[in-house]
Amino acid sequence: MSDAVPSFSLRSGSKIPSVGLGLWKIDQDATAGVVRDAIKVGYRHLDAACDYGNEKQAGEGIASAIGDGLASRDDLWVTSKLWNTYHRPEHVRAACERSLRDLQLEHLDLYLMHFPISQAFVPFEKRYPPGWFFDPDAGEPGIKEDPVPIRETWQAMNELVDAGLVREIGVCNFGTSLLRDLMASSDTHPAVLQIELHPYLTQNKLIRFCNESQIHVTGFSPLGALSYFSLGMAEPAESVIEQPVVKEIAANHDRTPAQILLRWGVQRGTSVVPKTSRVERLRENLAIADIALTDDEMNAISTLDRHRRFNDPGDFAEAAFNTFYPIYE
């Protein structure tokens, strides 16, 4: 794997690049070009998921970049995620193989359980990606649960490693209690935990627990509210990049506020996966390795913490999917 972007070492010795491209909310029509552009400017970490609905287009971008010699497969770290409807062990491999086929890959570097939520299975031929509704055409559509013990899903994910389809497995949106229970039920501990992480939600205790447990942390939505404005899940006044302290630190380093926030995340020891469709932003988000924030600057940014979670099923599931579904409480 290329050393152009600094990486973090996992327990196994694998290296995950510190900055990746998050593919959530990138339009299908743009995804192939954005992925190719990202690889061209130096990205080696791509964060995909079945639920994002653009893995096929991401695969086209990856294939184009590799075909044109912009990178080799071994240069890339590609993550995908198991969706909630595929938690039954008999569906896990088929879900992974569908992602692999769409991404035009023989293996994934990392496969994550997207949520600690188990929904009723929706066949691939009926709807893919299946989304949150069990039946969108029902009179009162909602989320339909099909409870599956996490350890059963995890064991099936382990079998993907044994089969050579996946190199590392991990989880998203777990807290310390679920992590402890998962580690107590399996000899294979999560390599990575992906969580919402930004100065309004610093999650210090969870990160410390993961560090002590040799679980690497990746932060999604590292710029905070920006991805949630269009969804009605955040107000413009909640924008972290508009905070005076962030702007002041950015001016001191002659960098943008976004670069400072990404560097804050990486300097904490977490990888970050910001989303953008613009080439100039792709370059900007990647160019943070030479920023060195002082302890005072790191602390000043961290004091913005207000425990504000933007991506919370306990809020959005009821508003968007007619189902009250808290997982963090």
Side-chain angles (χ1 to χ4, degrees):
M1 185 175 290
S2 170
D3 291 327
V5 178
S7 298
F8 292 108
S9 295
L10 305 185
R11 181 193 298 107
S12 66
S14 296
K15 294 185 180 298
I16 182 170
S18 57
V19 180
L21 173 65
L23 300 182
W24 182 48
K25 292 182 75 232
I26 296 181
D27 291 341
Q28 285 186 356
D29 291 346
T31 300
V34 172
V35 167
R36 190 183 190 283
D37 286 343
I39 294 171
K40 185 176 181 178
V41 303
Y43 280 79
R44 297 297 179 258
H45 179 176
L46 303 170
D47 185 74
C50 154
D51 188 56
Y52 300 165
N54 56 11
E55 286 194 321
K56 185 175 185 297
Q57 293 76 20
E60 293 168 0
I62 292 170
S64 173
I66 292 175
D68 288 346
L70 302 179
S72 70
R73 172 63 185 96
D74 288 343
D75 289 331
L76 302 178
W77 179 281
V78 182
T79 296
S80 186
K81 305 178 187 76
L82 177 75
W83 185 239
N84 307 338
T85 52
Y86 307 128
H87 278 214
R88 289 257 161 224
E90 61 267 30
H91 302 312
V92 170
R93 179 161 180 159
C96 179
E97 289 177 336
R98 174 60 188 262
S99 284
L100 286 170
R101 185 163 64 253
D102 285 350
L103 291 166
Q104 301 187 41
L105 300 175
E106 294 184 354
H107 74 273
L108 293 168
D109 298 280
L110 176 64
Y111 200 42
L112 300 170
M113 195 182 305
H114 206 147
F115 282 97
I117 294 174
S118 181
Q119 296 175 229
F121 175 65
V122 176
F124 297 103
E125 61 273 15
K126 181 176 181 179
R127 192 171 69 253
Y128 189 89
W132 290 87
F133 284 129
F134 178 68
D135 180 4
D137 299 321
E140 295 184 3
I143 297 170
K144 183 178 179 181
E145 281 192 280
D146 179 22
V148 179
I150 288 171
R151 59 182 168 78
E152 293 184 9
T153 307
W154 187 248
Q155 178 54 41
M157 292 175 68
N158 255 311
E159 292 170 6
L160 301 176
V161 179
D162 295 339
L165 300 178
V166 173
R167 290 186 173 173
E168 307 278 357
I169 55 176
V171 294
C172 303
N173 303 301
F174 275 44
T176 55
S177 293
L178 284 179
L179 288 170
R180 280 195 179 94
D181 187 69
L182 180 56
M183 291 189 290
S185 67
S186 174
D187 290 335
T188 302
H189 293 182
V192 174
L193 169 68
Q194 186 174 127
I195 52 174
E196 181 179 341
L197 208 58
H198 45 74
Y200 284 174
L201 186 69
T202 59
Q203 307 224 55
N204 295 330
K205 292 178 183 178
L206 181 52
I207 291 176
R208 178 179 173 182
F209 175 82
C210 287
N211 288 341
E212 293 178 355
S213 303
Q214 293 185 285
I215 300 170
H216 176 68
V217 175
T218 294
F220 70 80
S221 300
L223 302 180
L226 295 182
S227 293
Y228 302 97
F229 294 155
S230 64
L231 301 175
M233 295 162 66
E235 299 294 331
E238 296 181 288
S239 179
V240 186
I241 63 172
E242 297 298 329
Q243 281 284 347
V245 67
V246 176
K247 288 184 171 182
E248 180 181 349
I249 293 170
N252 290 341
H253 289 268
D254 195 24
R255 296 301 182 97
T256 67
Q259 287 178 309
I260 295 302
L261 294 181
L262 296 177
R263 181 59 198 177
W264 172 83
V266 170
Q267 205 162 307
R268 298 177 84 206
T270 65
S271 50
V272 293
V273 286
K275 165 257 178 187
T276 186
S277 299
R278 298 165 56 187
V279 174
E280 62 269 29
R281 292 284 186 248
L282 287 169
R283 292 194 180 98
E284 176 185 304
N285 291 347
L286 202 62
I288 62 169
D290 61 338
I291 303 172
L293 300 177
T294 67
D295 289 343
D296 286 345
E297 289 171 331
M298 290 290 293
N299 291 334
I301 296 170
S302 295
T303 58
L304 296 173
D305 187 26
R306 55 182 68 174
H307 308 292
R308 174 64 164 105
R309 190 185 301 276
F310 297 106
N311 197 324
D312 186 347
D315 294 327
F316 72 71
E318 186 168 26
F321 306 113
N322 305 317
T323 310
F324 179 51
Y325 214 115
I327 64 171
Y328 295 114
E329 285 71 20

